Amino acid sequence: MSYGQSDSGEPARLAGIYTGRILKGEKPADLPVQQSTKIALFLNLKTAKLLGLTFPLTLLGRADEVIE
């Protein structure tokens, strides 16, 4: 079970926005710190089974991705 970025392209998008602002003349030191706002829950059922763990059905239903 882990949390991670739901969209693997989001860091590249944020970097592009920063680059565009710098090319338009803004100073890098003046730019705000940004981080990903989309977080996804991943459940790995195969590993959980090997460890003898089970997940409640409500958690399985809320997971963004279930790896079997």
Side-chain angles (χ1 to χ4, degrees):
M1 182 167 91
S2 68
Y3 282 104
Q5 292 179 336
S6 62
D7 181 13
S8 61
E10 189 173 5
R13 184 184 65 80
L14 291 175
I17 292 171
Y18 266 58
T19 303
R21 290 177 72 175
I22 291 169
L23 291 174
K24 289 179 182 176
E26 290 188 53
K27 294 180 182 178
D30 295 337
L31 295 176
V33 175
Q34 294 181 347
Q35 61 183 0
S36 179
T37 57
K38 298 177 184 176
I39 305 296
L41 174 63
F42 300 94
L43 300 176
N44 189 327
L45 295 180
K46 183 177 180 181
T47 302
K49 184 177 178 181
L50 290 172
L51 294 172
L53 302 172
T54 58
F55 295 113
L57 290 177
T58 54
L59 187 60
L60 288 171
R62 288 181 174 250
D64 296 295
E65 186 173 336
V66 178
I67 303 167
E68 295 187 39

